[in-house]
């Protein structure tokens, strides 16, 4: 994670959206879909399980 990132934006979004939560995926940075697609998909399934 970037040394300049402190999570304040994520915390603000958690306050604004009901049922929001942060999920950190190490070594992903901005390109999470390209760098860690399996971990992103797993996190997405936790948030929105298949019907």
């Amino acid at each position: 994670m970037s040394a300049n990132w402190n999570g304040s934006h994520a915390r603000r979004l958690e306050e604004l959206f009901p049922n929001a939560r942060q999920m950190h995926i190490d070594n992903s940075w901005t390109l999470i879909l390209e760098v860690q697609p399996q971990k992103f998909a797993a996190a997405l399934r936790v948030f929105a399980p298949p019907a």
Side-chain angles (χ1 to χ4, degrees):
M1 212 175 276
S2 170
N4 295 326
W5 188 86
N6 65 15
S8 63
H9 295 296
R11 283 191 296 278
R12 178 72 174 129
L13 288 171
E14 280 186 304
E15 293 171 3
L16 293 173
F17 292 95
N19 302 318
R21 64 177 164 240
Q22 292 183 56
M23 297 183 81
H24 297 280
I25 298 176
D26 292 333
N27 301 315
S28 294
W29 302 87
T30 304
L31 303 173
I32 186 171
L33 291 173
E34 291 184 24
V35 177
Q36 306 249 11
Q38 295 86 4
K39 289 185 180 181
F40 175 77
L44 188 58
R45 281 191 292 275
V46 169
F47 176 72

